């Protein structure tokens, strides 16, 4: 080994530690969301079922999904990938230390970060957030599956996790379970029948759980799950899921539980484009926000379009209809358009526009814009910076600065 | 495709320091919960002597709270007494005013603070509706999320170290 090479080799560990320190600092000042990336359609994945245990996306990854996370999503360093490259053991559970049997899927999520909020230019909120600390597993025996997650939620993230609470500690720190279900695979695994606490099948399963299309339809992937029975069908060009909602049984009393149905259907137009439609109809004796009997509907369309691999457009538009006892029926709308550009592999720039008019008489419309940079710097790890501006709705103009880091173990 | 790749250092060069990252993450997540701002519901419960915090919907028209959704009568009254977002002091001051003035937002003859203490809705006259919504299946006061998350991350770090040693041997 030449002296120069020796010197370079000796220098690398220091550089590596510097990288780790920078990442650590990034972690220290940051916080994220769940893993569900509709823009994977750029790689020809029109469906989600190959990579996720949930046939409609998000949640536990299959071994194939873990491999694709490393081979397709995260940055590569140095050598060019071989034509038929296989994922390293690093992509496995707990960095490959654990090799579970085929019947068992395991995973863990850790998200943390820092958020700054301003209202009319005044800083009104800044804090650390522990956004997610969950473990998940799925056991499959024959055609039957049992799947669930268990985690903890800090007081600081109460508003974004309380609907999934298992406990009700007064200080806001609680055990939570976002998903738990039993399922059976039918028709050569193209159909999955499930019962339990499930993600609501509606619209884009995007990770921006505070985007208006998710929060206003109450279909966010972070805590908007409900108990019920669902059936999903997946083929190469078509996927659909319908769910009968029995209510969130982690919410009391029963009067607040919404009951109804929701579902979506999506048709692939080639390998890189898909369009779909969604419907949601629920009724509650007492709406959790107003305590009044409420009949709530959302109907919409969505699309995922990629005409050039580095660029993916995600779009969703939903009509919101709410009928409240004593207040009549009101109509609103919400929409989202996102352009995700993968500059180099693993590094994404995204611009998102959104609009909202709540279904209330006299409601004022609002608009929002997101600028996002995210870097999948290692398999299953990403850092993300968001700047979100929202105005209208009869409320102060707000700016949110969010720095976050997410790891999937 | 050259366009599609970063050229930095081989993965293995930064894999080992990842332990430092994970360890650091453990510390930061442990601090996260410790430094998180106490939430308004807990402050309200403490101020009025309620046994449990009220739901976000006591002030907000959204179950998750958020800017622009504090439209309930109680929220409007408290704002008129100086309440502003994420300012614990302003909330305590406004609650003190509510107690002193015996404010009654829904005009049902029971003061807001008494309704908050009793767990009824200070925005709905007569409180004919169901009791306030509660989340969870049981009470486990004293849960320590920071420690749990620390343990989870520490376990990951330990597993990672074990794997590295196994690869070297």
């Amino acid at each position: 080994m030449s002296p120069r090479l020796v010197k370079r080799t000796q220098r690398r560990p220091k550089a590596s530690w510097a990288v780790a320190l920078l990442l650590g600092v990034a972690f220290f000042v940051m916080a994220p969301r769940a893993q569900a990336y509709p823009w994977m359609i750029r790689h020809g994945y029109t469906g989600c079922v190959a990579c996720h245990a949930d046939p409609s996306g998000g949640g536990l990854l299959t071994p194939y999904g873990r491999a694709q996370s490393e081979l397709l999503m995260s940055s590569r360093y140095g050598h060019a990938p071989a034509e038929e490259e296989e994922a390293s053991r690093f992509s496995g559970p707990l960095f490959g230390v654990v090799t579970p049997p085929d019947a068992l899927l395991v995973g863990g999520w850790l998200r943390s970060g820092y958020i700054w909020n301003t209202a009319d230019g005044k800083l009104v909120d800044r804090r650390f957030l522990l956004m997610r600390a969950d473990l998940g597993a799925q056991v499959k025996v024959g055609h039957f599956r049992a799947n669930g997650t268990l985690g903890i939620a800090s007081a600081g993230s109460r508003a974004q996790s309380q609907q999934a609470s298992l406990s009700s500690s007064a200080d806001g720190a609680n055990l939570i379970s976002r998903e738990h279900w039993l399922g059976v695979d039918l028709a050569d695994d193209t159909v999955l029948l499930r019962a339990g606490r499930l993600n609501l099948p509606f619209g884009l399963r995007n990770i921006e759980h505070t985007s208006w299309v998710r929060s206003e339809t109450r279909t966010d992937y972070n805590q908007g799950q409900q108990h019920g029975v669902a059936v999903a069908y997946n083929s190469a060009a078509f996927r659909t899921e319908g769910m009968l909602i029995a209510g969130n049984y982690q919410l009391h009393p029963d009067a607040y539980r919404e009951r109804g149905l929701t579902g979506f259907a999506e048709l692939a137009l080639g390998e890189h484009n898909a369009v779909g439609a969604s419907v949601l109809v629920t009724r509650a004796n007492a709406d959790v926000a107003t305590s009044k009997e409420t009949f709530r509907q959302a109907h919409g369309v969505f699309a995922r379009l990629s005409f050039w691999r580095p660029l993916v457009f995600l779009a969703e538009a939903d009509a919101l209809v709410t009928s409240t006892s004593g207040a009549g029926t009101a109509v609103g709308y919400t929409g989202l358009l996102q352009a995700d550009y993968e500059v180099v592999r693993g590094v994404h720039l995204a611009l998102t526009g959104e609009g909202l008019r709540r279904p209330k008489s006299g409601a004022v419309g609002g608009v929002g814009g997101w600028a996002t940079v995210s870097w999948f710097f290692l398999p299953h790890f990403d850092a993300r910076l968001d700047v979100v501006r929202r105005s209208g709705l009869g409320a102060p103009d707000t700016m949110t600065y969010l720095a976050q880091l997410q790891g999937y173990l | 495709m050259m366009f599609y790749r970063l050229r930095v250092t081989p993965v293995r060069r930064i894999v080992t320091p990842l332990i430092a990252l994970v360890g650091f993450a453990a510390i930061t997540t442990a601090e996260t919960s410790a430094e998180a701002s106490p939430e308004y519901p807990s402050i309200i419960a403490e101020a009025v002597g309620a046994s449990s915090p009220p739901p976000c919907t006591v002030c907000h028209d959204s179950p998750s709270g958020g800017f622009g959704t504090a439209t309930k009568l109680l929220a409007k009254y408290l704002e008129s007494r100086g309440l502003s977002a994420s300012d614990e002091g302003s909330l305590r001051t406004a609650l003190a005013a509510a107690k002193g003035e015996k404010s009654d937002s829904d005009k049902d003859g029971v003061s807001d603070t008494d309704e908050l203490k009793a767990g009824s809705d200070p925005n709905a006259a007569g409180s004919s509706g169901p009791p306030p919504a509660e989340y969870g299946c049981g009470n486990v006061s004293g849960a320590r999320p920071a420690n749990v998350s620390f343990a989870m991350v520490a376990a990951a770090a330990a597993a990672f170290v074990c794997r590295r040693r196994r690869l070297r041997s």
Side-chain angles (χ1 to χ4, degrees):
Chain A
M1 187 180 289
S2 71
R4 173 183 277 182
L5 193 54
V6 168
K7 200 171 182 180
R8 279 172 55 189
T9 306
Q10 287 173 338
R11 201 181 296 147
R12 274 175 180 155
K14 288 183 180 176
S16 300
W17 281 99
V19 170
L21 183 60
L22 284 173
L23 295 176
V25 170
F27 202 114
F28 187 71
V29 295
M30 294 184 200
R33 304 137 207 248
Q35 287 174 314
Y37 303 113
W39 43 249
M40 281 298 284
I41 200 168
R42 64 162 45 92
H43 296 294
Y45 287 98
T46 52
C48 313
V49 70
C51 295
H52 293 276
D54 185 324
S56 298
L60 282 171
L61 288 172
T62 63
Y64 182 79
R66 283 183 173 276
Q68 298 317 302
S69 174
E70 176 179 347
L71 297 175
L72 294 177
M73 288 178 66
S74 61
S75 289
R76 301 195 70 89
Y77 307 92
H79 71 286
E83 189 77 8
E84 298 293 331
E85 186 181 19
E86 291 187 357
S88 69
R89 289 187 58 187
F90 184 82
S91 67
L94 285 176
F95 311 109
V97 175
V98 178
T99 307
D102 292 344
L104 178 66
L105 298 181
V106 294
W109 298 263
L110 184 63
R111 297 184 279 140
S112 191
Y114 203 88
I115 190 170
W116 296 261
N117 283 307
T118 69
D120 282 339
K122 178 189 172 190
L123 182 65
V124 295
D125 180 26
R126 59 186 173 91
R127 57 200 156 110
F128 286 100
L129 283 176
L130 175 60
M131 299 175 73
R132 188 168 191 185
D134 289 4
L135 294 172
Q138 175 181 284
V139 178
K140 184 171 183 179
V141 179
H143 292 294
F144 296 93
R145 301 195 217 175
N147 183 306
T149 68
L150 185 65
I152 47 91
S154 67
S157 61
R158 170 184 164 141
Q160 297 299 334
S161 62
Q162 62 181 354
Q163 294 173 44
S165 292
L166 290 173
S167 61
S168 51
S169 119
D171 63 6
N174 281 299
L175 288 172
I176 61 171
S177 179
R178 303 172 205 269
E179 293 181 76
H180 41 260
W181 49 266
L182 298 173
V184 56
D185 289 294
L186 305 167
D188 292 331
D189 293 348
T190 59
V191 174
L192 174 62
L193 176 64
R194 297 186 290 169
R197 195 170 199 270
L198 307 165
N199 291 309
L200 297 190
F202 185 95
L204 296 168
R205 189 153 293 177
N206 54 319
I207 60 174
E208 291 84 8
H209 64 90
T210 58
S211 61
W212 282 328
V213 290
R214 296 283 66 81
S215 63
E216 297 300 318
T217 57
R218 300 185 188 176
T219 55
D220 81 82
Y221 173 69
N222 198 52
Q223 64 167 344
Q225 297 88 353
Q226 302 230 33
H227 291 87
V229 178
V231 60
Y233 170 78
N234 281 270
S235 69
F238 181 72
R239 67 190 184 104
T240 183
E241 183 169 19
M243 177 177 175
L244 293 175
I245 303 170
N248 177 8
Y249 278 77
Q250 286 154 239
L251 165 66
H252 307 275
D254 184 74
Y256 290 106
R257 293 177 188 144
E258 293 185 317
R259 297 195 166 91
L261 58 88
T262 184
F264 75 87
E266 186 186 64
L267 180 66
L269 308 173
E271 292 184 353
H272 305 285
N273 300 287
V275 294
S278 310
V279 60
L280 179 146
V281 179
T282 65
R283 180 193 168 281
N285 287 330
D287 184 79
V288 72
T290 64
S291 296
K292 294 179 179 174
E293 181 181 356
T294 299
F295 187 65
R296 190 169 67 84
Q297 301 179 65
H299 307 281
V301 292
F302 60 94
R304 299 182 291 150
L305 307 170
S306 179
F307 303 105
W308 178 48
R309 192 168 74 168
L311 184 63
V312 177
F313 290 101
L314 304 176
E316 180 174 339
D318 302 309
L320 310 172
V321 183
T322 299
S323 303
T324 305
S325 174
T329 298
V331 178
Y333 62 82
T334 184
L336 174 144
L337 177 63
Q338 181 180 84
D340 181 281
Y341 176 54
E342 189 171 22
V343 184
V344 292
R345 203 170 84 166
V347 179
H348 296 246
L349 302 178
L351 293 175
T352 306
E354 56 179 350
L356 170 66
R357 184 181 181 280
R358 292 196 169 97
K360 294 177 182 173
S361 67
V364 180
V367 293
W370 299 48
T372 304
V373 181
S374 55
W375 179 27
F376 295 79
F377 57 89
L378 282 175
H380 312 316
F381 280 85
D382 69 276
R384 175 170 168 147
L385 297 168
D386 287 281
V387 178
V388 183
R389 178 178 171 78
R390 284 173 164 172
S391 60
L393 302 177
D397 292 350
T398 62
M399 290 285 288
T400 297
Y401 306 88
L402 178 61
Q404 52 188 318
L405 185 138
Q406 172 168 271
Y408 180 71
L409 305 177
Chain B
M1 186 162 64
M2 294 299 290
F3 155 78
Y4 230 51
R5 291 187 298 114
L6 283 176
R7 287 187 174 278
V8 189
T9 57
V11 167
R12 289 186 179 181
R13 303 292 183 194
I14 66 166
V15 157
T16 301
L18 185 62
I19 298 169
L21 168 64
V22 173
F24 195 45
I27 296 170
T28 56
T29 53
E31 279 211 325
T32 293
S33 293
E35 294 190 2
S37 301
E39 287 209 320
Y40 277 12
S42 299
I43 294 173
I44 293 173
E46 178 191 333
V48 303
S51 58
S52 61
C56 298
T57 52
V58 76
C59 284
H60 295 265
D61 65 8
S62 163
S64 301
F67 289 113
T69 62
T71 58
K72 298 287 185 69
L73 293 173
L74 178 63
K76 294 302 178 188
Y77 167 78
L78 294 174
E79 285 175 2
S80 74
R81 295 299 180 269
L83 174 64
S84 60
S86 297
D87 182 345
E88 296 170 22
S90 73
L91 175 61
R92 292 182 195 282
T93 301
L95 288 168
K99 193 171 185 178
E101 297 173 5
K102 298 188 185 307
S103 65
D104 181 10
S105 296
D106 56 8
K107 313 293 183 195
D108 64 352
V110 184
S111 72
D112 291 338
T113 50
D114 284 347
E115 292 215 57
L116 288 168
K117 184 176 181 179
S120 60
D121 186 356
N123 303 288
S127 296
S128 56
E134 291 184 7
Y135 294 99
C137 305
N139 195 310
V140 289
S141 295
R144 306 292 289 274
N147 292 345
V148 175
S149 64
F150 182 87
M152 192 168 96
V153 177
F160 190 73
V161 170
C162 290
R163 176 172 181 264
R164 292 289 299 171
R165 286 181 176 170
R166 197 170 63 195
L167 287 175
R168 284 175 179 162
S169 63

